[in-house]
Every structure is written in structure tokens, then in C-alpha cells.
Amino acid sequence: MKREDLLSKISDPSKVWDVVVIGGGATGLGVAVDAVTRGYSVALFEWEDFAKATSSRSTKLVHGGVRYLAQGDVSLVLEALYERGLLQQNAPHLVKNQSFLIPNYRYWDNFLYTVGLTIYDILAGRLSLGRSKYVSKKKTTSYLPTVRVDGLKGGVVYHDGQFDDSRLAVNLAQSCVENGGCPINRMKVTAMLHGSDGRARGVKVQDLMNGQEYEVKAKAVINATGIFVDSIMEMDVPTHEHMVKPSQGVHLVLDKSFLQSDYAIMIPKTDDGRVLFAVPWHDKVVVGTLREHPELEPQALESEIEFILNTAGRYLTRKPQRSDVLSVFAGLRPLAAPKKEGKSTKEISRSHKIFVSENKLITITGGKWTTYRRMAEDTVDKAIELNLLEKKACVTKKFRIHGYQLNPDLNNHLYIYGSDIQAIKTLMQSDPAMAEKLHPKYDYTVAEVVWAVREEMALNVEDILARRVRLLFLDARVAAEVAPKVARIVAKELGYDQAWIDGQVKEFTDLAGHYILE
């Protein structure tokens, strides 16, 4: 996946692409893969890095949405459970079955959640990941050694999926390229191109690496920019009224000793009605929740951090302290705004919505990683319905995503690379320096940095430490420590000088500071 090769493909101003996708997160990459595998020509432009915003900051769950079931939104749960099953089949190297345990401190809750989660299993049908069941207090404490025992009345086990979000994004970009598509990062859309009939007929984009500008024509233009969809819609129709209400998810990463289990904890109802998760991920534990009315810059507020620490402390034998937090991250999710003001984001459906402007710009918003494939299918189908594209059938239900590998060895930290593992091992064997660890505490190697630059379009230190290897999200202090080493490797690969290295180290160190609790 060479960026310069892809740039050469868009340099012909006379070429008319079938589809131009704006946005390189879950939704945009999903649309690009759907369209290119149907046989359309596709260019995708991401103004930062793939999955830079919301799509790398999820709770790392591929789930049907237990809380939507509690709200009675059965159709949304059905759709998500079906897509969860497909995603596990199509990317088994990244999606695994995760057992959850709900510890209950009232006998009634044991009954309530057993019944509810049995319905959840039935809705999943043949794509179920395993049966839910009530477990005794003794079993609950054996599955979760660190759960609070005082008042415990038993628990309910159920199954959902767990995955690595930005790794899936990278694999989708690779899948797109392998099928003839052209996804390029660091490309900012600056204007919409309109035909004489007023229709959206392409985009103007600027390469943020060198300032070069391109005009890229297309039959269909699809806006999949998540929380930024309104700004693209304004390029099309300047009088457009904003419609996206962001909802912020906040997550703290702790050492695995706080859980000491392969089971995840799910607290369906905290003091203020929110769901709290504590999920094993890459040998750490991600503790996360959701809140309303976020700022546009996704940084966890002090009140949120304290809420998560205090709530987690009520269910764990050892209460996590601020000093225990290895990394803190927040992400904004795009929810279509309610018609009436004042509704909380919990009341807005997470189901995706497609909008078509009078100029035939197609905007897709809402949804979540679990349903990205269905969102993409619906979006491309809409372009066909509008007669922007000739009719071709969707093939992604059984499309193997790049890296596909059955039964990966989860004890090998390279498992996320799937079918690319051997190529990375070959790199490590080619030169002793390639096998060097970036840091003694973690297994990430120099070879993985080189691979990210050569094969995964990583362009700087953040791309690598945040989204190719996940060190920034797992241990922000260590990520800051290894930044100089990573900068030197990238500079060697891309031909940059010491000034670039120094700038990168400062930039990344400043960024890492936002992930560290003082």
C-alpha cells in the first residue's frame, strides 16, 4: 500500500471515478470496500490518518447492544447481532469471542438479566457467540477474582465480540487497495465540485504532505466524515443546518491485575443510569462509559475520570487510583440530532441514517463499528437507487478482510497481523536490528514500525504508536519514551532529517500528555 502509487492514480484530471468517499474511519472505509468489491472505481480521502478520530477510540467491542434490548429497540439489536457474527467470520484475526459477567447484588437482577440475555442469544440465532447463563456467587468470584464479594448474589455470563478498532481500519484500507481502490490519508477535501446541473460531481483535495492540489471527478460523492459531516454538507449547500449531536465515550486503561481474568465485567446500570464496561484488551483492561454534551475536542473531563474510577472501585476489591491509569482516551460518536431540544444522547438511536442533499451528495452518519458493513451496503445501495451508479450486487457479507486468518494464537502479540505475520517475521530475521524491542516492557519491535511505514501507509510517529501498534492507548508514558526511537526509524524509511525527528518527538510527547493523568 504505497501512498505515492495511489497519488499517481488520482493525478489524471480527466478521469471520472464511480465513487469518491470523504472520510477514512469505519464508515468511509466500509463504503470504499463495499463499492470496490462490487466492481466500481473508488477513491477515498482522509484528511488525517485512517481511524484517527472516533474509529480508533471505541470501547473495543463488537456487540449487539445489550442496552438497546433493554430499551426495546429489537430491530437495532437484531441488525447488530447479525453484523457481529459476519465480522467475526470475515476478520477472525481481529475479532474474538469475549465472555462478559454481570455481577448482581440483588436476586431480582439475576432473574432479569438471565431472561434478557437469553433473548439476546435467541436473536443472534446461528451467529450466536455462546449461551448466556446464570452463575452462582461462588462461580462468579472464581471467574472474577477481583469482584466485590460483599452483598454479591450471583452473576450472569453472556458473550459478545472484542476487537482492535484501528487495526481493522488499516486492514480495510489494504483490502480496498487490493481490489483496485485508492484510499489515501492526509488528503483534505477543500471544496465540492458541482456539474452544470448543480449535482455534486467530485471534490477538490489538497495533499497535506506537500500542499499539492487535485480535482477528482466522480459519479457519486459520499460524505462519511462522522462528527464532521456537517462541514462537508456546508461545502455542498452553504445554508445547511447542523444536524449531528456528538456523544462522548471516555475510557481509562488499567493494568490487567485489576481484573485478573479473561472475563469482562459489564455493569448495566450505574448510579446515573449509564453502562460501565471493564474489558480485557491487549493484556490490559479498558474501563469505559458514555456521557452527554461533550466539548468538540475529545478530552476526558475530570468529573468523568472520577466517575469511572469511583464506579469501578465499587465493584472491584481494589479501587483504581489516578496513579494506576496507564492511558486515558475519549472519542466522539456522531448521533443524528433529535427533533426536540434537550433530549439526552442515550435517547437518540445509534442506528445509522442516510441523507441526500438536493445536489445528490450522499451523507451517512450514526451507527457504530459493529454495523459498519451494513451501513456501507445501505449507502452504496442508495447511490444505485439515485441512478448515480449502475446496479451491482453487494458481496461483503462473505468478504474476507485483509489479514484473514482462522484461529490466531492470541498469546503471540503479532496475532493482529493475521496472514501478514510471516512477512513481519521475515523482516525480523533479515536483520538483528529489526527484531529489537521498542521497549523492554512490551513486545513491539522495530520490524513492526518498518512494516507500518512500508505496507500500512503510516507517515509519522503518532500513526504508528496510536493506530498501527496501540502503545499510546495501552501505556502513554512508555509511548512517549519510545517516540524518539520510532521517529528515527520512520525518518530513515522516508528520508527525513534530524529537524523532522525533533519536531515529531515534541509533537508526540505533547499529544501523549493528554493521555496521561497527573
Side-chain angles (χ1 to χ4, degrees):
M1 196 159 75
K2 305 289 185 197
R3 191 172 183 273
E4 54 271 24
D5 295 342
L6 299 177
L7 284 169
S8 67
K9 284 188 171 187
I10 63 159
S11 59
D12 178 3
S14 65
K15 180 179 173 67
V16 179
W17 296 76
D18 291 321
V19 180
V20 158
V21 182
I22 310 169
T27 310
L29 289 164
V31 169
V33 169
D34 181 288
V36 79
T37 53
R38 294 194 202 207
Y40 301 118
S41 59
V42 178
L44 174 147
F45 302 116
E46 161 57 45
W47 77 298
E48 263 284 348
D49 183 32
F50 304 118
K52 154 77 175 176
T54 306
S55 296
S56 62
R57 299 163 182 270
S58 73
T59 314
K60 321 307 178 194
L61 299 179
V62 181
H63 63 110
V66 173
R67 70 188 177 97
Y68 305 127
L69 186 61
Q71 294 164 7
D73 201 340
V74 176
S75 61
L76 181 58
V77 174
L78 268 172
E79 176 184 274
L81 286 171
Y82 178 69
E83 292 299 327
R84 179 192 72 177
L86 292 184
L87 186 49
Q88 192 192 32
Q89 289 179 3
N90 294 334
H93 62 299
L94 288 177
V95 181
K96 72 180 185 73
N97 185 340
Q98 176 64 59
S99 300
F100 284 77
L101 209 161
I102 302 174
N104 293 316
Y105 296 85
R106 298 187 309 169
Y107 288 115
W108 171 247
D109 287 342
N110 282 328
F111 172 76
L112 186 71
Y113 294 127
T114 301
V115 171
L117 289 162
T118 299
I119 295 169
Y120 192 62
D121 298 340
I122 292 167
L123 291 175
R126 63 180 181 82
L127 292 174
S128 170
L129 299 181
R131 284 186 59 188
S132 301
K133 61 182 179 181
Y134 160 76
V135 291
S136 66
K137 175 180 175 178
K138 186 177 179 183
K139 274 260 179 82
T140 299
T141 54
S142 70
Y143 291 158
L144 289 173
T146 61
V147 75
R148 179 170 63 84
V149 178
D150 183 35
L152 186 66
K153 302 292 193 280
V156 180
V157 171
Y158 75 98
H159 299 265
D160 250 329
Q162 193 256 21
F163 81 132
D164 189 310
D165 45 18
S166 69
R167 289 300 317 171
L168 180 54
V170 169
N171 285 168
L172 287 171
Q174 290 169 307
S175 298
C176 183
V177 171
E178 286 163 3
N179 285 273
C182 190
I184 316 178
N185 53 358
R186 300 296 186 313
M187 298 290 283
K188 186 171 185 177
V189 171
T190 56
M192 196 73 55
L193 299 177
H194 294 99
S196 55
D197 56 0
R199 282 193 179 184
R201 299 286 190 184
V203 293
K204 285 185 180 178
V205 289
Q206 183 179 39
D207 185 344
L208 296 180
M209 299 300 289
N210 59 20
Q212 189 168 343
E213 295 183 327
Y214 301 85
E215 288 197 357
V216 183
K217 300 183 181 72
K219 296 174 185 174
V221 181
I222 294 170
N223 173 16
T225 52
I227 57 170
F228 304 107
V229 292
D230 285 314
S231 61
I232 300 297
M233 293 171 93
E234 278 177 354
M235 288 182 190
D236 178 49
V237 179
T239 55
H240 162 74
E241 288 185 21
H242 283 214
M243 64 175 192
V244 165
K245 179 187 176 77
S247 163
Q248 179 160 301
V250 179
H251 308 83
L252 307 182
V253 178
L254 303 170
D255 187 75
K256 65 179 179 181
S257 61
F258 282 91
L259 209 52
Q260 293 178 27
S261 174
D262 291 332
Y263 282 78
I265 296 180
M266 200 271 266
I267 308 300
K269 214 164 191 179
T270 58
D271 288 346
D272 65 355
R274 283 179 285 177
V275 173
L276 185 83
F277 289 101
V279 186
W281 186 64
H282 289 317
D283 220 26
K284 296 287 187 284
V285 180
V286 177
V287 186
T289 186
L290 185 70
R291 77 173 173 87
E292 284 71 48
H293 314 305
E295 297 68 41
L296 286 175
E297 180 60 33
Q299 290 183 21
L301 294 184
E302 282 300 316
S303 59
E304 285 307 301
I305 292 162
E306 289 305 316
F307 173 82
I308 293 173
L309 290 173
N310 289 334
T311 306
R314 288 181 55 194
Y315 294 93
L316 299 172
T317 51
R318 177 179 157 211
K319 182 184 175 182
Q321 305 297 321
R322 292 176 68 88
S323 56
D324 296 314
V325 176
L326 299 171
S327 185
V328 54
F329 62 94
L332 297 178
R333 299 158 185 169
L335 303 176
K339 288 178 182 173
K340 285 196 288 186
E341 289 299 312
K343 274 199 166 188
S344 81
T345 56
K346 285 186 291 186
E347 297 172 272
I348 307 171
S349 171
R350 288 284 300 280
S351 185
H352 59 279
K353 293 177 176 62
I354 296 173
F355 301 88
V356 182
S357 77
E358 59 196 44
N359 299 329
K360 300 294 189 288
L361 169 69
I362 300 171
T363 295
I364 169 75
T365 189
K368 56 186 178 181
W369 254 119
T370 307
T371 54
Y372 90 94
R373 192 213 63 81
R374 175 61 188 272
M375 294 165 67
E377 180 181 352
D378 290 351
T379 305
V380 178
D381 283 349
K382 176 59 74 173
I384 293 168
E385 182 190 312
L386 294 168
N387 294 317
L388 301 176
L389 301 171
E390 60 179 289
K391 189 171 183 177
K392 294 181 181 182
C394 174
V395 300
T396 54
K397 283 183 183 177
K398 292 185 176 178
F399 174 72
R400 292 182 173 183
I401 292 164
H402 179 94
Y404 177 96
Q405 187 178 55
L406 285 171
N407 305 314
D409 176 7
L410 299 180
N411 294 315
N412 178 357
H413 90 282
L414 293 174
Y415 78 87
I416 53 167
Y417 295 99
S419 58
D420 287 332
I421 289 175
Q422 191 50 54
I424 293 168
K425 284 183 175 175
T426 302
L427 259 183
M428 291 165 69
Q429 291 157 4
S430 69
D431 179 351
M434 288 282 190
E436 276 179 28
K437 286 185 178 184
L438 298 181
H439 191 278
K441 282 174 66 176
Y442 292 89
D443 289 332
Y444 301 122
T445 63
V446 171
E448 290 176 78
V449 179
V450 172
W451 177 263
V453 174
R454 292 180 186 176
E455 303 296 336
E456 297 180 345
M457 230 186 289
L459 297 170
N460 63 26
V461 173
E462 184 196 338
D463 291 355
I464 288 160
L465 291 177
R467 291 173 292 278
R468 303 308 187 277
V469 306
R470 306 308 305 275
L471 198 49
L472 179 62
F473 286 78
L474 295 168
D475 194 329
R477 290 176 183 83
V478 169
E481 276 183 52
V482 304
K485 183 168 189 172
V486 172
R488 288 192 296 272
I489 300 165
V490 177
K492 185 179 176 185
E493 283 293 308
L494 297 178
Y496 291 133
D497 59 14
Q498 187 62 44
W500 183 88
I501 293 171
D502 295 341
Q504 277 290 298
V505 172
K506 183 183 185 311
E507 202 174 296
F508 185 81
T509 305
D510 291 347
L511 174 72
H514 294 301
Y515 290 71
I516 296 169
L517 288 188
E518 296 300 341

